Amino acid sequence: MMENENGSGAITRREMLAGTAIAVTALAMTKVTGLEAVPSAPTVTPVESEGVSFSVNGKAVKLEMDTRTTLLDALREHLHLTGTKKGCDHGQCGACTVLVNGRRINSCLSLALQHQDDSITTIEGIGTPENLHPMQSAFIKHDGFQCGYCTPGQICSAVAVLEEIKAGMPSHVSAELKAPVAFSNAEFRERMSGNICRCGAYSNIAEAAAEVAGVQG
Amino acid sequence: MKSFTYERAETPAQAAAAASKPGAKFLAGGTNLLDLMKLQIETPTHLIDIGRIGLDKIESMSNGGLRIGALVRNTDLAADPHVRADYGILSRALLAGASGQLRNKATTAGNLLQRTRCPYFYDTNQPCNKRSPGSGCSAIAGFSRQLAVIGGSDACIATHPSDMAVAMMALDAVIETVKPDGKTRLIPISEFYLLPGKTPHLETNLEKNELITFVVLPAPVGGTHVYHKVRDRASYAFALVSVGAILFKDGSGKIALGGVAPKPWRKPSAEKFIQSGAKGFTAKLLEGARPTNENAFKLTLVQRTIEGILTENRS
């Protein structure tokens, strides 16, 4: 490693990173040379593409893409709607929650191709900075987030949960399967268990949703 | 994820016929399959999207039973008025599983066919006879707290993860299928799942390319319906032990277990002992259990959970 221009001899972080990058490149080159000596055919599978049309936040879109593209990647990488977040990419955290035909799903566990003619709503379609959805305003009022990464998924999910309760859909904590259901802290928390918040803003999220549902939290 | 070609089927017959393509797999909700494809545990080269083949309805049958389309979403099945009124065990089991987002996407047939969540099945750096036949089982001498106490073998102790299938087992559901040549057949759920033996990669008696079209529930049997799931978190976790029970006034019942075996566990021959109490019944139900040191607690947990359910039902 070279000495610094200031002659101190200390290695700066930038130099350290640059040096590492060179070392990695050298290693990669060695590997390629090594591979060339082995007379085996490369096992690269061709990329398969397909087209799909659906609407996002009221706008019709038509995409042609790798069949492997998830709805999440189509939204973020192809349509540049980066409000929807990639957390775990395995359906465990809920950061990627969007509404499809009004129902919430994990967009990371769905192929974009499965959504022909569907109507998709992302956080960008829930509200805008000038015209916030009541759930967005309530999240701000009640500090329903800290770092904010899970928030778009939390808000999409919370909006859908209130609709599910209104539609009378039962949950694991509903005492009676046949009786109507009403918003309660326990009902809301059970229904939101697929949205993880590592900052732990759950209490405030529940208060925000209670306000929107028109009940005391 | 490995690349694949994709087609959208329009009818069940067309889907079954398309499945003769090498490397083909049906795609329904995709919540389990896509996850496994990302990890290259599943590597289909052709996907047949069956999401729009018209099997998304619940029909009432003339005998009073229900015929549930293979693609009815878990949310819709749990909320169906007939299911809530007459098959409460099924609503309760569905609502105890997964998250709201997953239940909105996951289908009835897909739920039956979901793969184990054994951590060694998911870890592609570890041997696993289910994922890679003949490679060995890392679970038996590994972390086995979540895994099977009965029905497993020296090759595999993975558990079946479904809650819904436990209820279907107690309800004596029948699975209706179509084969690529158009022939249909009915499979009682008690004959649907295979135990691992020496071939843990074979999980059901579905033939290659056979497509589930419906799940049929017999006419309502009445009784009190209970689904009690014991897990490490209050919500959104797989069962350590779950008990699905249909209990009648005379003290008899039908009881199936989740979280303890490679398939939803039920033993009708043991059910005549329900009236004599949880201890005697559980001993018969779990006769021949081979727990590990880490999961032997499940035997006690099953008995206590059943005891709780029977006591509550008596009062």
Side-chain angles (χ1 to χ4, degrees):
Chain A
M1 198 66 64
M2 288 180 295
E3 278 198 357
N4 266 351
E5 278 177 5
N6 65 15
S8 71
I11 300 164
T12 64
R13 184 166 174 272
R14 180 169 295 179
E15 281 171 354
M16 180 65 199
L17 289 174
T20 311
I22 291 161
V24 170
T25 313
L27 187 66
M29 284 167 71
T30 315
K31 262 189 142 176
V32 170
T33 315
L35 273 179
E36 276 167 0
V38 182
S40 65
T43 54
V44 177
T45 46
V47 171
E48 304 287 349
S49 304
E50 284 285 341
V52 66
S53 312
F54 45 71
S55 84
V56 180
N57 302 329
K59 268 191 217 153
V61 297
K62 200 170 174 190
L63 293 170
E64 179 80 23
M65 67 208 152
D66 189 324
T67 53
R68 290 170 288 189
T69 313
T70 59
L71 177 60
L72 172 62
D73 286 339
L75 292 169
R76 288 184 56 87
E77 310 297 335
H78 292 256
L79 299 169
H80 308 296
L81 291 166
T82 53
T84 308
K85 296 293 186 274
K86 182 180 282 192
C88 67
D89 209 25
H90 288 284
Q92 296 174 4
C93 76
C96 68
T97 303
V98 299
L99 307 183
V100 174
N101 305 326
R103 303 176 76 163
R104 57 190 172 133
I105 67 160
N106 300 111
S107 62
C108 74
L109 287 186
S110 200
L111 291 178
L113 290 172
Q114 289 176 272
H115 294 285
Q116 179 66 36
D117 300 328
D118 279 347
S119 169
I120 293 146
T121 307
T122 67
I123 190 67
E124 290 91 344
I126 296 273
T128 61
E130 298 74 34
N131 187 20
L132 292 174
H133 184 281
M135 190 66 77
Q136 292 172 312
S137 305
F139 265 62
I140 294 168
K141 180 176 164 191
H142 292 277
D143 286 334
F145 52 88
Q146 183 176 287
C147 82
Y149 196 82
C150 72
T151 312
Q154 298 278 2
I155 290 176
C156 285
S157 208
V159 167
V161 163
L162 297 199
E163 291 303 315
E164 287 162 20
I165 293 173
K166 244 187 244 170
M169 299 180 120
S171 85
H172 176 62
V173 299
S174 304
E176 286 292 327
L177 279 178
K178 286 167 259 180
V181 289
F183 184 97
S184 69
N185 190 276
E187 280 284 355
F188 181 75
R189 282 172 177 263
E190 159 59 26
R191 290 166 194 262
M192 291 293 285
S193 67
N195 290 85
I196 310 297
C197 169
R198 291 301 74 167
C199 300
Y202 300 113
S203 306
N204 297 353
I205 291 170
E207 280 175 22
E211 181 173 298
V212 179
V215 298
Q216 294 298 315
Chain B
M1 203 186 294
K2 297 277 189 191
S3 72
F4 54 83
T5 49
Y6 170 94
E7 75 174 284
R8 236 171 250 129
E10 281 166 19
T11 65
Q14 190 200 345
S20 57
K21 200 167 175 175
K25 218 165 172 73
F26 299 119
L27 171 69
T31 53
N32 191 207
L33 180 58
L34 291 175
D35 192 25
L36 294 169
M37 284 168 66
K38 287 180 184 188
L39 299 163
Q40 297 190 13
I41 294 166
E42 296 272 12
T43 52
T45 52
H46 183 65
L47 281 187
I48 304 157
D49 185 346
I50 55 169
R52 292 154 202 255
I53 59 173
L55 296 176
D56 55 353
K57 311 268 182 320
I58 303 172
E59 307 159 26
S60 293
M61 303 202 308
S62 55
N63 70 353
L66 285 185
R67 195 160 176 245
I68 303 158
L71 294 160
V72 171
R73 308 286 160 172
N74 287 178
T75 297
D76 296 319
L77 186 55
D80 180 79
H82 290 115
V83 176
R84 283 156 78 174
D86 297 327
Y87 306 95
I89 185 176
L90 180 56
S91 277
R92 286 295 182 194
L94 283 159
L95 294 171
S99 66
Q101 289 95 316
L102 290 169
R103 290 192 298 270
N104 278 342
K105 193 104 195 310
T107 64
T108 307
N111 190 318
L112 289 174
L113 294 177
Q114 63 177 308
R115 311 294 304 275
T116 185
R117 297 319 196 275
C118 174
Y120 299 100
F121 175 70
Y122 267 75
D123 184 350
T124 51
N125 293 311
Q126 304 269 2
C128 167
N129 287 320
K130 192 185 274 298
R131 172 169 32 78
S132 176
S135 62
C137 174
S138 317
I140 291 170
F143 293 102
S144 57
R145 181 171 178 273
Q146 290 276 351
L147 302 175
V149 293
I150 193 164
S153 69
D154 291 338
C156 182
I157 54 167
T159 45
H160 195 269
S162 173
D163 292 295
M164 184 196 81
V166 175
M168 293 290 195
M169 193 69 99
L171 288 165
D172 296 305
V174 176
I175 292 153
E176 197 175 324
T177 68
V178 62
K179 295 185 200 181
D181 63 5
K183 284 196 181 117
T184 61
R185 70 166 172 153
L186 296 171
I187 312 167
I189 192 166
S190 58
E191 296 167 19
F192 183 70
Y193 291 108
L194 305 176
L195 287 177
K198 290 181 177 155
T199 54
H201 59 293
L202 304 175
E203 297 176 351
T204 70
N205 70 15
L206 283 179
E207 289 172 19
K208 196 174 170 336
N209 310 334
E210 190 172 4
L211 177 69
I212 298 176
T213 46
F214 296 93
V215 177
V216 180
L217 298 183
V221 293
T224 303
H225 290 217
V226 183
Y227 189 78
H228 194 105
K229 182 173 181 179
V230 185
R231 45 185 160 174
D232 285 334
R233 293 192 298 260
S235 183
Y236 199 20
F238 288 97
L240 289 168
V241 159
S242 71
V243 179
I246 304 172
L247 301 170
F248 303 105
K249 281 197 176 128
D250 64 0
S252 66
K254 298 160 180 271
I255 293 183
L257 305 178
V260 298
K263 62 178 191 178
W265 193 254
R266 186 175 168 206
K267 207 161 146 190
S269 65
E271 287 171 0
K272 58 178 178 285
F273 295 95
I274 293 175
Q275 279 148 308
S276 61
K279 196 171 178 188
F281 168 61
T282 307
K284 293 286 178 195
L285 181 62
L286 295 180
E287 203 167 58
R290 291 201 309 163
T292 65
N293 286 338
E294 286 193 2
N295 66 20
F297 74 93
K298 288 190 179 187
L299 303 179
T300 315
L301 191 54
V302 167
Q303 188 189 314
R304 288 178 182 169
T305 308
I306 292 173
E307 180 69 61
I309 289 171
L310 294 179
T311 306
E312 201 166 300
N313 189 52
R314 255 181 252 124
S315 60

